[in-house]
Amino acid sequence: MSEVQMEQTIVAQSEEFEREPVPQSKWKSWKSFLGMYAGEHVAGTEFIIGPLFLTTGVSAFDLIVGLLIGNLMAVLCWRFLTAEIAVKHRLTLYYQLEKICGKNLVKFYNVANGVLFCFLAGSMITVSTTAVGIPFDLPMPALNDTMPNGVPWVVIVLITGALTSVIAARGYDSVAKAANWMVPFILFAFVAAAVVALGQLGVKNFSDFWNIWGEGSEPFPGKIKYTFWHVVLWSWFCNAAMHIGMSDLSVLRYARKASAGWTTAAGMFVGHYMAWIAAALLYAVYLKSAEAQAMLAQGIAPPVAPGPLAYGAIGYLGVLAVILASWTTANPTIYRAGLAFQAIFPKSSTFWMTMLAGGIATVAGIFPAFAMKLLDFVALYGFILAPIGAIIAFEHFFGAKYGIISNYAEKAGISFNVAVLAAWVLSAGLCYVLSVTQGIFLSFLTLPAWLACGILYLVLSKWWQKAV
């Protein structure tokens, strides 16, 4: 089952159980989640994340082993944190937060969530445009570009974004049906492109494969050097909003057992691990071209354009794969953002809120910075949203032992839990200031921010609940 189909099923069911635990008659086996996670993480983002790793000068050991460990840690978080809490309470993230935080604070969270989803979808519109523009010989954005490189680029982004937005707002049923066929094709395209790229690189054994990265190199202009720990922590927390941020409570609450959390391995090791490395191979081929070598000689970073990279390996099959992968990622992402906005304005039409989300995503897609700096953006996205998950996790595991009242906003009849906001702002704010002022890689601070938020929440709740 694809991401889109699973998302449709979950949305339809959550409308029935939006404010109550999922009944046992609706629980699902682990097989329902295996396909969903595999499909969700074989996506358009993978076409650009893999190449971006090469721009950081990462070594073979740091990349291959670092990704292995980082993705394993993400799976463990899904299994032993998110899934455990999901099957215990069987509530959506938003309703569980509302019980703890209050309705008004949840609206504030929805704004952050919705806007960040829009920017992520915008990067997918950018990726799709690099493929759509191939027949038109469209100039591709450079690695360090922040602004559009011409009117043709803007026009194609607007058309692509408009189509994506309309489909997300009105054609969700048809997208869900089509996605069943898209994901296997996209996965096949990744494998085929990787095989072709290995041939173009002259790889005949594992040693040749390892030497593609070797001992690493200097990062490209405008990029920082990635070490083993950069790779581990980035790959662990690129989906921080979903696992330690508890966003996937809304999905895993349908699982019969918490062991369904292990199915996330299909996404991490088929999608992220395999797909990122496959996409990196495409960029490695391009870097050997005369064009790329000339740019490097001049101190210019060669562009990371997924469309041309896939086209260079498997022709228009690769172009189609990039478009479909971007589409199947952007559509549900825009749809999620629309739902977040609709929750803020409950009397508004979901259709128009989704169109609003699509409009924001399309505008973001005009600016290639969101895609070209995807490693940085995804790190920021997870960093901002992850600490909220600590509120739920620490209350679940430690709240009773520490003597705080669970679901305090609901029981006290308040709409704004100050302890939650203070813990979120203080932990994330302090860690972000450290990142900026001390030059610390943001993914290094995601776990400290998460832990700090959880601890602060317990301490502040103990004081706040007595004070009121």
Side-chain angles (χ1 to χ4, degrees):
M1 184 181 291
S2 71
E3 176 193 15
V4 178
Q5 184 183 41
M6 188 66 177
E7 184 75 5
Q8 181 205 26
T9 303
I10 296 303
V11 168
Q13 292 173 335
S14 67
E15 289 174 351
E16 297 178 29
F17 314 113
E18 190 174 9
R19 304 182 70 81
E20 61 180 304
V22 175
Q24 187 173 354
S25 61
K26 298 296 182 180
W27 296 357
K28 297 180 178 296
S29 73
W30 62 272
K31 295 178 182 178
S32 298
F33 303 93
L34 185 68
M36 186 276 287
Y37 279 109
E40 182 173 4
H41 298 284
V42 181
T45 46
E46 278 55 81
F47 275 108
I48 201 163
I49 289 173
L52 286 177
F53 273 121
L54 268 176
T55 70
T56 65
V58 68
S59 72
F61 178 86
D62 293 348
L63 180 68
I64 296 170
V65 180
L67 286 182
L68 184 68
I69 295 174
N71 283 305
L72 175 61
M73 294 303 297
V75 171
L76 292 175
C77 287
W78 261 301
R79 168 59 183 88
F80 292 106
L81 291 177
T82 320
E84 288 289 339
I85 296 172
V87 300
K88 173 67 175 180
H89 302 287
R90 299 195 179 277
L91 300 174
T92 66
L93 167 69
Y94 303 108
Y95 188 43
Q96 195 151 342
L97 278 179
E98 183 181 311
K99 286 172 169 286
I100 299 171
C101 309
K103 291 182 178 180
N104 289 342
L105 185 50
V106 168
K107 289 181 178 180
F108 179 74
Y109 172 82
N110 282 342
V111 171
N113 204 13
V115 170
L116 289 170
F117 269 135
C118 286
F119 290 161
L120 182 60
S123 70
M124 288 303 92
I125 293 172
T126 299
V127 170
S128 181
T129 301
T130 68
V132 174
I134 286 178
F136 306 101
D137 198 24
L138 184 72
M140 296 298 160
L143 188 60
N144 294 320
D145 279 356
T146 57
M147 302 298 290
N149 56 14
V151 173
W153 172 268
V154 174
V155 171
I156 293 179
V157 168
L158 291 176
I159 293 172
T160 304
L163 290 172
T164 304
S165 301
V166 170
I167 292 168
R170 299 190 63 176
Y172 213 76
D173 287 346
S174 61
V175 172
K177 293 175 183 177
N180 268 338
W181 301 97
M182 289 181 191
V183 171
F185 168 75
I186 296 166
L187 182 58
F188 168 77
F190 266 114
V191 174
V195 170
V196 171
L198 288 172
Q200 293 173 331
L201 291 167
V203 174
K204 297 179 181 179
N205 50 50
F206 185 74
S207 178
D208 291 340
F209 172 74
W210 188 269
N211 287 332
I212 292 172
W213 297 274
E215 297 300 318
S217 61
E218 289 301 311
F220 285 11
K223 297 294 179 180
I224 66 169
K225 172 72 173 179
Y226 269 30
T227 65
F228 174 78
W229 289 110
H230 285 81
V231 176
V232 169
L233 292 170
W234 189 91
S235 57
W236 181 2
F237 294 125
C238 66
N239 287 119
M242 305 300 176
H243 47 76
I244 63 173
M246 299 295 152
S247 181
D248 272 1
L249 290 180
S250 299
V251 173
L252 290 169
R253 67 196 179 111
Y254 289 92
R256 287 199 182 103
K257 299 178 180 179
S259 56
W262 289 119
T263 62
T264 57
M268 295 303 97
F269 292 102
V270 175
H272 286 187
Y273 194 74
M274 185 278 290
W276 286 347
I277 292 175
L281 293 174
L282 297 178
Y283 192 54
V285 171
Y286 172 65
L287 290 179
K288 289 184 175 295
S289 69
E291 177 184 80
Q293 288 297 313
M295 290 183 180
L296 289 171
Q298 299 174 41
I300 301 172
V304 176
L309 292 179
Y311 177 74
I314 53 177
Y316 280 103
L317 184 68
V319 171
L320 181 60
V322 172
I323 293 172
L324 295 182
S326 303
W327 184 40
T328 56
T329 306
N331 261 286
T333 303
I334 290 173
Y335 192 81
R336 288 187 185 114
L339 289 176
F341 292 153
Q342 200 276 334
I344 301 169
F345 306 103
K347 295 182 179 179
S348 60
S349 163
T350 301
F351 173 85
W352 288 112
M353 288 295 100
T354 306
M355 289 300 293
L356 172 63
I360 296 172
T362 301
V363 172
I366 292 174
F367 302 94
F370 288 107
M372 297 301 108
K373 298 185 182 298
L374 194 58
L375 295 181
D376 297 331
F377 171 71
V378 171
L380 178 63
Y381 166 76
F383 173 83
I384 292 173
L385 297 181
I388 280 292
I391 303 295
I392 295 174
F394 273 67
E395 178 166 299
H396 174 82
F397 290 107
F398 308 114
K401 294 179 182 178
Y402 197 69
I404 68 168
I405 300 171
S406 62
N407 299 328
Y408 184 71
E410 179 185 52
K411 293 174 180 176
I414 61 174
S415 60
F416 203 101
N417 189 334
V418 175
V420 173
L421 181 63
W424 185 18
V425 172
L426 287 173
S427 60
L430 176 61
C431 287
Y432 186 76
V433 169
L434 281 174
S435 175
V436 173
T437 59
Q438 303 301 313
I440 303 173
F441 185 58
L442 197 58
S443 290
F444 286 2
L445 296 169
T446 300
L447 184 59
W450 189 83
L451 293 171
C453 186
I455 294 169
L456 279 171
Y457 168 68
L458 293 179
V459 173
L460 293 173
S461 291
K462 190 84 170 179
W463 169 79
W464 173 253
Q465 290 176 5
K466 288 181 179 180
V468 297

